Amino acid sequence: ELHLQDIDAIDDGSETVSFAGTLILRWRDARQAFDTAGGGARELLFNDLEALSDLHPTWLPSVDLLNAAGPLEVRSELLRIRPDGTCTLVRSVNGMAKSRLDLTRFPFDEQQVEIMLRLHGMARQEAFLVPSGQGAFVDLGTLRVPQWDLRAAAVHDRIIRTKVFGSAVEVPVLVVTIDIARDPVHILRLVVLPLAIIVVLSWSVFWMDRSSLGDRMSVSFVGILTAVTYQVLLSDVLPDISYTTFIHAFINFSFFAMALSVPVNLLVGIHDQRGKAERGDRLDRICRWAFPAGYALMLAASWAYFR
């Protein structure tokens, strides 16, 4: 059993999840059986396992992370032994697991992170982990992860084929899966809404006097420079990945929508200089609805593509 007590962080760039929990292992060792006749103890408790090993032979399972991004640290542990030799080892652990994330729909993505546990140094025919009846326990009411919503957790066993010293072997692992969904409000408030307002304001040039080409160009370039500055400031907020996500497509389309107003301004100015003011006015009227419609269409196409 694994009782997740906390998920410290989920790192998009390194694809890691840091967690803290209580690992409960149960097995039966006939060497540990004892007699309760004569009013003896019904259960033995040991929290100094090194001293226990010095007294008499005791097998204690060593568990590590197969997909570890760091060591599995043991904070404390307690061993309970029943008269029939049933042993229950309770360990408080901290760990960091590496799990593949698909950020294509960022910030509307849903993920399933995995924590893979195995018995260190034990062959499949000797000993392996199997899920108990409870499996993985997560208190969804108290566990909080910034910008993430925890949906569920489950545990199951799996056989992983890997190479050890150049030879392919099958390793039995216990896989804890955690279903999470990102809360998009932070990114919507910080990125989407402000940038969308900047894009809409940049379209005000289509209502400006056609003869004021300098003022129109100033408005367009201020919008473009604002978008570029915004992208630089958001470099620490957006995931540092090589492939394109929905939020990257939104930023790129927003930049393109503002940049496209520059050649329109130039074309309107050329028509005005050549005495074809009606053509310039007609182009402005077309752009007043064509730009919002095209922008909305590009965003809709991006949403459909990244679903």
Side-chain angles (χ1 to χ4, degrees):
E1 301 174 19
L2 177 63
H3 293 198
L4 284 174
Q5 299 168 339
D6 189 21
I7 295 181
D8 300 324
I10 299 175
D11 193 307
D12 296 325
S14 61
E15 296 185 322
T16 57
V17 52
S18 302
F19 65 93
T22 300
L23 182 63
I24 302 177
L25 303 171
R26 295 186 180 91
W27 71 97
R28 187 172 182 180
D29 189 347
R31 298 174 301 174
Q32 308 304 325
F34 59 91
D35 190 3
T36 60
R42 295 186 177 181
E43 186 178 43
L44 301 180
L45 302 178
F46 301 93
N47 53 18
D48 188 352
L49 302 188
E50 293 184 1
L52 174 63
S53 299
D54 294 337
L55 294 176
H56 57 86
T58 303
W59 178 77
L60 296 176
S62 176
V63 179
D64 60 3
L65 281 169
L66 183 63
N67 58 336
L72 184 66
E73 301 176 355
V74 178
R75 303 194 308 269
S76 61
E77 51 188 354
L78 173 67
L79 178 64
R80 297 174 176 267
I81 303 178
R82 302 286 295 174
D84 62 352
T86 299
C87 302
T88 302
L89 179 61
V90 182
R91 278 180 178 159
S92 297
V93 296
N94 290 335
M96 179 182 293
K98 194 171 185 63
S99 185
R100 183 177 297 275
L101 303 179
D102 183 6
L103 303 176
T104 304
R105 298 185 65 242
F106 180 92
F108 304 98
D109 53 316
E110 299 179 358
Q111 307 292 340
Q112 188 177 77
V113 297
E114 294 184 337
I115 301 172
M116 299 183 180
L117 303 171
R118 67 170 179 178
L119 287 179
H120 180 72
M122 302 297 292
R124 182 181 180 185
Q125 63 272 16
E126 295 175 331
F128 55 90
L129 297 173
V130 294
S132 66
Q134 293 186 358
F137 175 77
V138 179
D139 189 353
L140 300 179
T142 59
L143 191 58
R144 292 288 182 268
V145 185
Q147 301 184 38
W148 291 94
D149 293 329
L150 274 70
R151 301 290 178 82
V155 60
H156 59 277
D157 50 353
R158 183 190 301 173
I159 300 298
I160 303 295
R161 292 190 61 85
T162 185
K163 284 189 175 182
V164 178
F165 301 112
S167 301
V169 296
E170 293 184 346
V171 179
V173 297
L174 196 68
V175 183
V176 179
T177 59
I178 309 170
D179 295 328
I180 56 176
R182 192 187 305 272
D183 185 358
V185 175
H186 175 69
I187 299 298
L188 293 178
R189 183 180 63 248
L190 186 66
V191 181
V192 176
L193 182 60
L195 192 55
I197 292 176
I198 295 174
V199 173
V200 172
L201 291 178
S202 71
W203 296 336
S204 62
V205 297
F206 303 132
W207 279 266
M208 295 177 63
D209 186 14
R210 62 180 180 275
S211 60
S212 57
L213 179 60
D215 294 337
R216 292 173 63 127
M217 295 294 286
S218 296
V219 172
S220 296
F221 277 106
V222 166
I224 294 173
L225 294 177
T226 302
V228 172
T229 305
Y230 212 71
Q231 291 187 51
V232 174
L233 295 176
L234 293 174
S235 59
D236 294 334
V237 178
L238 301 181
D240 187 16
I241 53 178
S242 59
Y243 57 90
T244 303
T245 67
F246 172 77
I247 195 65
H248 291 113
F250 169 77
I251 295 175
N252 292 335
F253 283 144
S254 299
F255 179 82
F256 176 74
M258 288 184 287
L260 193 59
S261 64
V262 174
V264 172
N265 292 335
L266 292 175
L267 190 58
V268 171
I270 292 175
H271 287 320
D272 186 63
Q273 291 177 356
R274 294 180 179 178
K276 301 178 180 179
E278 293 182 358
R279 291 188 177 182
D281 292 340
R282 188 184 309 113
L283 182 58
D284 273 340
R285 289 194 297 269
I286 293 174
C287 290
R288 289 171 188 173
W289 61 264
F291 268 67
Y295 185 63
L297 183 61
M298 286 191 296
L299 294 183
S302 299
W303 176 258
Y305 178 79
F306 289 105
R307 288 193 65 179

